Amino acid sequence: MTGHIATVAGVAVDTRHWIGGRRVASAATFTDVSPIDGSVLAEIARGTAVEADAAVAAAKAAFPAWAATSREERARLLHAIADGVEKRLEDLAIVETHDNGALLRSHRRGVMPRVAHNFRFFADWLLDLGHDDFETRGHTNHVSWDPAGPCVLITPWNAPLMLATWKVAPALAAGNTVVLKPAEWSPLTASLLADIAAAAGLPDGVLNVVQGLGAEIGDALTSHNDVRRISFTGSVPTAARIAASAAPALTPLSLELGGKSPLLVFADADLDLAVDLAVEQYDNAGQVCLAATRLLVEESVAEEFTRRFVAKASGIRQGDPRDEATGIGPNIHERQVAKIDGFVQRALASGARAVLGGGPNAELGGLYYRPTLLTDVAQDSEIVQEEVFGPVLTLQTFTNEDEAVALANDTRFGLAATVATGDRERAERVTARLVAGTVWVNCFFVRDLQAPFGGSRQSGVGREGGTWSFDFYCDLKNTVTAPTGWAGRG
């Protein structure tokens, strides 16, 4: 590392904030460590209320001109950013793999192309955004989406750039300015995004990136009176603190939070498909909010399902995420690994049985946790009720449809659910009764940006995606015009 530039596998990353179109240093820094091998990647500018105020001020100053920019020009610039992402796709993939430990092949083939798609989708959706005028007793109603103002976007570490741009793209498309605060465990690609946006010609102050610890900079952002929208993805406790911070100013919130999603496997399902879906829940070392970590399997096929699952999951290669052959990499941080193992060891001490895994990978050391499946777990146990956010699944059985639905809905969460069945009518009955923002039937993780996304219960507040994103990032206005009176005074 030289000065404010960190070199990550040959890619230069500026470690300072991006505020008002220029790089800004802080008096202090925090250390960013790679989960792959524990090596220090960078010393990152550690923002405080000072940098938070500066970023919000820059966003506020840039807002009037950006809000007045035509839809066509905003869309053009979003496409230009997407072009920049595609040109630097390899750099982004390499840096993010080193920063959060997710598979390099996934970043190359799926995640970073999705980052570019986020910008293109919302640019195109903006140009078609509208509502047909309608009449009320001869009066014309016209609905419009007006830019709201500066937005604070707080993003997680498990898919840093993809989830950041899921928020940044619609916020910018809507005509808002943005202050992006990435997670302190994986901040590097947010800094690269600032470079890409600037190179694309985005005006100064329209996108700002501030880094730091949530406890030191977060409240200054979320309590700021000049902020008009806050979008957060993360944990329930942090969301509660953000909501309390935003309450005095009545700042609207969009919260995408945790999950404890079920995978319901009925006896009439294609068991090979069901096993594939279940093993897929280990994706990203289990660090996926949507993951169906509770396997609910009909009793008559549970033994065969478990046998096939263990056989398939045992074949997953764990190791360096930069290796094309690796199927599961490390977890993000030593604190996260300790949390995961704490859940598992307490479950085992309470009578659960590990039919797969059950602890860290002793051969690899570091932050590598073995894919784990626990059986003999009680419905009211911690391991069934609380989000682990690691490669840990539980398996329970049911005897009929009603019991399956009751078990599936018996948590405080409601983010997603997956159903495996060969009976279309059963699928319709069961999905209608499940409490979840997204339900997949005989598939998993198929997401279209035009669909609403969010959670029920403590899995979140609000929906984003397609027009729902613009509904959140805008002030909706209805203008009612009388049919007469245009002649004025005689």
Side-chain angles (χ1 to χ4, degrees):
M1 181 170 174
T2 304
H4 298 295
I5 304 298
T7 302
V8 180
V11 181
V13 184
D14 200 305
T15 61
R16 295 171 292 179
H17 313 285
W18 178 254
I19 300 174
R22 65 186 183 91
R23 290 291 177 178
V24 176
S26 288
T29 62
F30 65 92
T31 304
D32 184 31
V33 175
S34 175
I36 298 174
D37 55 11
S39 61
V40 173
L41 295 175
E43 294 295 329
I44 307 294
R46 185 170 174 169
T48 64
V50 173
E51 290 82 5
D53 286 344
V56 173
K60 182 180 180 180
F63 173 67
W66 181 244
T69 300
S70 70
R71 288 187 177 192
E72 291 74 18
E73 177 62 9
R74 295 203 302 264
R76 185 192 69 79
L77 285 167
L78 291 184
H79 277 292
I81 294 172
D83 292 341
V85 169
E86 289 171 347
K87 288 176 183 176
R88 299 202 63 184
L89 190 147
E90 183 68 8
D91 289 348
L92 292 167
I94 289 171
V95 170
E96 191 142 298
T97 290
H98 282 79
D99 207 13
N100 85 330
L103 302 183
L104 179 57
R105 59 181 167 86
S106 295
H107 281 137
R108 283 172 170 159
R109 299 170 191 170
V111 177
M112 296 310 163
R114 175 61 180 265
V115 168
H117 177 63
N118 284 344
F119 284 104
R120 296 199 192 284
F121 173 87
F122 285 107
D124 293 342
W125 199 269
L126 169 66
L127 296 180
D128 291 331
L129 182 66
H131 189 290
D132 290 340
D133 289 352
F134 56 98
E135 288 194 0
T136 304
R137 298 189 300 277
H139 296 64
T140 301
N141 293 261
H142 176 75
V143 177
S144 58
W145 284 258
D146 293 352
C151 300
V152 165
L153 311 179
I154 303 174
T155 54
W157 45 258
N158 59 321
L161 192 58
M162 193 273 284
L163 291 177
T165 56
W166 161 252
K167 302 175 187 294
V168 170
L172 295 181
N176 299 317
T177 50
V178 165
V179 178
L180 171 63
K181 193 278 181 192
E184 55 263 34
W185 286 352
S186 55
L188 298 180
T189 48
S191 180
L192 293 179
L193 178 64
D195 293 337
I196 291 169
L202 195 70
D204 294 348
V206 173
L207 172 64
N208 306 274
V209 179
V210 291
Q211 301 142 159
L213 309 184
E216 296 176 353
I217 194 171
D219 183 66
L221 290 170
T222 57
S223 64
H224 205 292
N225 285 330
D226 289 331
V227 171
R228 295 292 176 260
R229 295 291 187 274
I230 299 169
S231 181
F232 168 74
T233 298
S235 71
V236 172
T238 301
R241 291 195 293 272
I242 289 173
S245 178
L250 295 179
T251 307
L253 300 168
S254 177
L255 305 174
E256 194 267 280
L257 309 178
K260 196 68 179 177
S261 302
L263 166 54
L264 291 74
V265 179
F266 289 92
D268 57 22
D270 177 335
L271 274 194
D272 287 334
L273 171 63
V275 166
D276 287 346
L277 293 173
V279 172
E280 194 175 350
Q281 309 311 313
Y282 291 131
D283 183 50
N284 200 20
Q287 298 168 143
V288 178
C289 59
L290 293 161
T293 56
R294 295 185 295 132
L295 309 182
L296 306 177
V297 185
E298 193 161 353
E299 193 173 83
S300 62
V301 296
E303 184 176 347
E304 178 64 14
F305 173 89
T306 304
R307 184 188 68 78
R308 296 192 199 185
F309 175 90
V310 171
K312 187 173 184 66
S314 297
I316 301 174
R317 178 173 173 178
Q318 187 168 28
D320 192 322
R322 296 166 293 189
D323 188 333
E324 280 280 321
T326 296
I328 182 171
N331 289 96
I332 182 74
H333 194 277
E334 60 184 10
R335 292 211 306 267
Q336 187 65 17
V337 172
K339 176 187 171 186
I340 294 165
D341 197 45
F343 272 110
V344 171
Q345 299 312 317
R346 288 191 297 273
L348 294 173
S350 298
R353 182 168 63 94
V355 296
L356 181 72
N361 190 320
E363 294 180 5
L364 295 174
L367 305 183
Y368 294 83
Y369 203 89
R370 291 184 292 163
T372 295
L373 176 65
L374 302 178
T375 61
D376 301 333
V377 293
Q379 178 62 23
D380 62 354
S381 63
E382 176 192 56
I383 196 69
V384 170
Q385 293 293 325
E386 298 300 326
E387 185 176 43
V388 178
F389 220 62
V392 179
L393 310 180
T394 61
L395 190 149
Q396 300 165 270
T397 62
F398 61 85
T399 58
N400 57 59
E401 205 172 283
D402 287 341
E403 185 182 9
V405 172
L407 289 171
N409 287 339
D410 187 23
T411 74
R412 61 193 175 102
F413 298 105
L415 187 56
T418 304
V419 178
T421 178
D423 185 332
R424 183 182 298 272
E425 292 182 355
R426 165 173 279 155
E428 292 173 354
R429 289 194 306 270
V430 170
T431 57
R433 298 170 64 190
L434 291 173
V435 179
T438 301
V439 181
W440 287 285
V441 179
N442 295 330
C443 61
F444 177 67
F445 219 41
V446 179
R447 287 184 57 187
D448 192 308
L449 286 178
Q450 64 184 311
F453 180 76
S456 303
R457 295 176 175 168
Q458 290 197 19
S459 285
V461 175
R463 295 291 186 272
E464 294 187 41
T467 301
W468 290 276
S469 286
F470 289 95
D471 288 348
F472 172 70
Y473 287 110
C474 292
D475 290 323
L476 268 72
K477 179 191 294 177
N478 185 44
T479 302
V480 184
T481 303
T484 58
W486 295 107
R489 292 184 65 181

